[in-house]
Amino acid sequence: MFPKLVSQRVRVSDGEGWVEGRAAADRATLHRGSGRIER
């Protein structure tokens, strides 16, 4: 589906921001719905 997808290493300078960003991504939904963002 994504033939040009590659892996890359990431350097994190703000560990807390990284953790919060990952948590937000885990809570996100990628399907059609009400359009409401849950926090």
Side-chain angles (χ1 to χ4, degrees):
M1 186 175 221
F2 302 99
K4 296 182 181 180
L5 190 65
V6 297
S7 294
Q8 291 186 337
R9 292 186 145 218
V10 177
R11 288 188 182 180
V12 177
S13 60
D14 179 1
E16 187 176 339
W18 176 265
V19 170
E20 292 298 320
R22 291 289 307 247
D26 290 341
R27 291 189 306 268
T29 58
L30 301 177
H31 57 82
R32 291 182 186 188
S34 67
R36 201 172 100 212
I37 298 174
E38 305 231 0
R39 296 178 188 233

